[in-house]
Amino acid sequence: MLPTTLTPGRPSCRQLPVKVSVGSSNIHRADALAAGGQGGYHCPYTFLCLLGAFSMARCSRLGRFAASKGHDEQQKALVVGAGPSGLAVSLMLAKRGWNVSVFERTSDPAAYDPGKGFMYLIDGRGQKCLRDLSPKLFERLVDSAVAMADAKIGVLTPKGLTERVNPIKDADRKSYWIPRHAFVGFLLDEARKMENINLYLEADIQNMASDASGFHIDVGFAGSSEVTAHQASLLVGADGYRSAVRDKLEEWDGKKGRYRVKTFSSPSAGLRYKVLTLPGAFELETPEGKKTFLSEGFYAIRGVSKNKCKQKLGLIPVSKEFGTRTANLITYEDDAVWEADTAESFTAYASDQWPHFPLKSLVSDEEILRFAKNRGGRFPSPQYCPSAAWTGESGAAILLGDALHSLPPDIGQGVNSALEDVTVLEACFASTDRDGNASDAVREFETRRMPDVEALIKIVRVAAPFQYSQAPWRGRLWNVSFLCRLLLNKALPAVFDLPLFLLIQRSEMSYREVWKKGGRGAQRATMLGILAVGAIIWKIT
């Protein structure tokens, strides 16, 4: 308890100008101002007041940052990439009091790209990250998304439309479908509210270096000859699976291979995809009469071609507020659709594959031409970088999201694993942070996270790789195996674990736990199958 008796004629200790700038997340002490021309405060308890103010600041939400440091000494971070992981880690660091500079090569990270109209399925892992960053982010997600458990599934064939309730929904664990550009837009809006986050768009990183004073980045900008220099003690690579930051870490590490990605095979790796933009909801005439295709429903438009491989269009749920939806076409490299690069040739291809789905009445000639000319993209191979962290003379670097682990979209964990990276990093900062020093935190992140990253890559290779109809017979065998595993779990849940595809939805489990349980269930189901076959053969003979 500080005394309240003051020397007559002196300013009150409560007038001490300790400045707390909450909006910019900077906490620093102003110099004591002279009072009455007498050379400053003469209160005998000035030191105690300073100590009290210092202690209160450290106990605040931003108190992890050293209150005795000046504004220019605030811990700084350089984040390369303004995708989900880059924006999420920027928000996390800003909340902890860091000054964050984000560099993005595009003019708008939240712009809609009709050629890559990705949909995200945000599960419990991603939801936890959003709640930690800001409860309002989670609220915006729920308001603008479609819950997986609420979406019906429809299959359109020449015979008509068949609809059913999602057979593998988990009502206790809601996941939400939302367009990528909308989700990134939510994070971007939140980042722009933070005065200690500086966003640089159309940024061309011309040089990255590390020395005794930290990390240095020289950045140019589209349409300008200006080059700006930036320095910080923390470097974050969130710049995708072709990460320039990761390449630079490999160089700084002496090219020992610790930052050279390990790549693995997968039945879905290398598949090509294109995205067609459709109205959000529409009506079609079918043999059963007029049917309404709702924005909030799944739909598969089955291919019926007799001359080519049968392909399907996949329509994913989207909130009606967006007005449009995407239809995904996913094929092998040699499918005829990649040669149909004119409006006429693609219209002929579509008429052969989906005569029961009148594209010409749903989309404009311009959209058909755009789709025909678009070269689409390819699913990446499952891959990860063996090391997530790097520490130098006076700084630390870390890889997050696709820069650390990249995978095809089979199990919907690309964005969720990236957001969970940020959640884990936040926990590492909370347990190791000392005056803003990130070295201990990034080393702890690598220790905690890499076993889960390795497990995730194993999971994606086998969990649901044939869902794109790219190998019909192998897909059917996988479906039979999945159904048998599901029935065994229903009958004896204590003995037979759920298939990986369902276990991964249990976000309270780590990827290591998912892989362990899924593998155990597969082994037991296989043993039961072998015993059953053996019993049948023994009985016959």
Side-chain angles (χ1 to χ4, degrees):
M1 183 74 177
L2 293 176
T4 56
T5 303
L6 305 177
T7 305
R10 305 300 185 196
S12 165
C13 296
R14 295 185 181 89
Q15 296 173 358
L16 183 69
V18 175
K19 182 178 180 182
V20 181
S21 179
V22 178
S24 61
S25 297
N26 300 328
I27 300 179
H28 61 280
R29 186 187 67 191
D31 294 330
L33 300 177
Q38 300 299 314
Y41 288 110
H42 294 279
C43 171
Y45 303 108
T46 295
F47 174 75
L48 293 177
C49 291
L50 284 171
L51 182 61
F54 174 79
S55 300
M56 287 187 290
R58 288 188 66 85
C59 291
S60 72
R61 177 173 64 88
L62 301 171
R64 297 184 185 277
F65 194 69
S68 61
K69 291 185 177 183
H71 177 76
D72 292 338
E73 297 181 61
Q74 182 182 6
Q75 290 295 93
K76 297 178 181 179
L78 305 175
V79 177
V80 182
S85 59
L87 292 172
V89 75
S90 299
L91 288 167
M92 183 272 285
L93 291 170
K95 286 181 63 179
R96 297 187 64 82
W98 288 67
N99 188 289
V100 185
S101 295
V102 186
F103 304 97
E104 167 61 31
R105 62 182 177 82
T106 68
S107 60
D108 182 1
Y112 173 66
D113 181 352
K116 298 178 179 179
F118 303 127
M119 294 290 295
Y120 282 160
L121 180 62
I122 309 298
D123 67 13
R125 302 174 201 276
Q127 293 168 34
K128 183 181 187 310
C129 180
L130 295 183
R131 286 192 181 99
D132 290 345
L133 294 176
S134 170
K136 291 183 178 179
L137 279 173
F138 177 70
E139 293 171 8
R140 290 189 71 181
L141 169 69
V142 174
D143 290 343
S144 297
V146 175
M148 176 80 162
D150 298 337
K152 290 186 177 181
I153 297 176
V155 178
L156 181 67
T157 69
K159 295 181 180 180
L161 177 66
T162 302
E163 293 183 283
R164 64 181 185 273
V165 176
N166 187 346
I168 56 173
K169 68 180 181 181
D170 189 341
D172 295 330
R173 296 174 179 82
K174 282 198 172 183
S175 300
Y176 296 93
W177 286 107
I178 189 166
R180 181 191 185 277
H181 69 279
F183 184 74
V184 173
F186 294 164
L187 295 172
L188 194 60
D189 289 345
E190 198 70 19
R192 283 173 170 153
K193 296 176 185 176
M194 305 292 290
E195 293 184 16
N196 54 334
I197 294 180
N198 303 296
L199 182 63
Y200 297 89
L201 301 177
E202 297 185 283
D204 174 25
I205 296 179
Q206 300 181 0
N207 183 53
M208 278 188 280
S210 173
D211 59 25
S213 62
F215 297 102
H216 304 268
I217 291 183
D218 295 329
V219 183
F221 299 93
S224 171
S225 59
E226 177 187 10
V227 176
T228 61
H230 304 265
Q231 182 272 334
S233 60
L234 176 62
L235 174 63
V236 179
D239 51 340
Y241 76 102
R242 293 193 179 101
S243 172
V245 174
R246 188 182 61 223
D247 291 344
K248 185 58 68 172
L249 296 185
E250 174 67 9
E251 178 185 321
W252 294 340
D253 195 52
K255 298 184 178 180
K256 300 174 184 176
R258 296 199 310 135
Y259 302 94
R260 193 174 299 138
V261 296
K262 293 184 176 182
T263 304
F264 302 87
S265 61
S266 165
S268 63
L271 290 177
R272 294 185 69 175
Y273 64 87
K274 292 212 284 188
V275 179
L276 183 68
T277 302
L278 299 176
F282 51 86
E283 292 184 339
L284 289 182
E285 287 290 346
T286 73
E288 303 160 320
K290 184 174 291 186
K291 295 288 184 178
T292 300
F293 289 67
L294 301 174
S295 290
E296 299 86 352
F298 283 100
Y299 296 97
I301 315 301
R302 291 278 177 82
V304 296
S305 174
K306 296 180 180 179
N307 305 313
K308 306 177 182 68
C309 290
K310 295 179 174 62
Q311 303 294 353
K312 69 179 179 183
L313 284 174
L315 282 63
I316 298 176
V318 66
S319 173
K320 62 181 66 176
E321 74 176 74
F322 296 107
T324 61
R325 72 184 314 160
T326 56
N328 302 319
L329 177 62
I330 302 168
T331 78
Y332 277 129
E333 171 75 29
D334 59 355
D335 191 80
V337 73
W338 302 106
E339 299 175 1
D341 55 3
T342 65
E344 293 76 16
S345 58
F346 174 68
T347 298
Y349 176 93
S351 297
D352 179 53
Q353 284 283 3
W354 315 293
H356 48 293
F357 190 65
L359 279 178
K360 291 283 287 183
S361 66
L362 293 175
V363 298
S364 66
D365 293 340
E366 291 77 13
E367 173 60 12
I368 289 178
L369 179 60
R370 182 207 62 77
F371 181 82
K373 288 183 173 297
N374 187 265
R375 295 296 86 198
R378 289 178 173 82
F379 288 174
S381 297
Q383 57 188 275
Y384 73 93
C385 182
S387 297
W390 185 89
T391 53
E393 296 177 74
S394 63
I398 192 165
L399 300 173
L400 300 174
D402 284 351
L404 177 60
H405 45 76
S406 181
L407 51 152
D410 306 355
I411 54 176
Q413 288 302 302
V415 65
N416 291 296
S417 60
L419 294 174
E420 191 175 64
D421 288 345
V422 177
T423 300
V424 174
L425 182 59
E426 161 67 15
C428 294
F429 267 107
S431 63
T432 66
D433 190 20
R434 297 293 182 274
D435 292 335
N437 186 354
S439 296
D440 291 341
V442 301
R443 282 193 287 263
E444 178 68 16
F445 175 87
E446 181 165 279
T447 300
R448 292 192 196 183
R449 191 60 172 159
M450 290 312 298
D452 278 330
V453 168
E454 294 175 20
L456 172 63
I457 297 302
K458 293 175 182 176
I459 292 168
V460 76
R461 298 179 67 192
V462 297
F466 297 107
Q467 60 186 284
Y468 311 106
S469 303
Q470 77 273 33
W473 284 109
R474 294 177 72 184
R476 290 187 183 100
L477 289 174
W478 184 91
N479 289 338
V480 170
S481 173
F482 177 86
L483 182 59
C484 290
R485 290 278 308 280
L486 192 59
L487 293 174
L488 287 172
N489 174 261
K490 293 283 187 183
L492 295 169
V495 179
F496 297 100
D497 296 291
L498 285 167
L500 283 169
F501 185 72
L502 295 180
L503 281 176
I504 200 71
Q505 299 176 30
R506 302 195 169 190
S507 57
E508 68 274 14
M509 296 171 58
S510 70
Y511 292 128
R512 280 172 285 180
E513 293 172 318
V514 170
W515 176 246
K516 181 179 179 180
K517 284 196 172 187
R520 182 179 64 187
Q523 289 175 353
R524 291 175 177 176
T526 301
M527 287 300 299
L528 181 63
I530 292 173
L531 290 173
V533 171
I536 293 171
I537 294 174
W538 178 81
K539 188 173 182 179
I540 292 175
T541 58

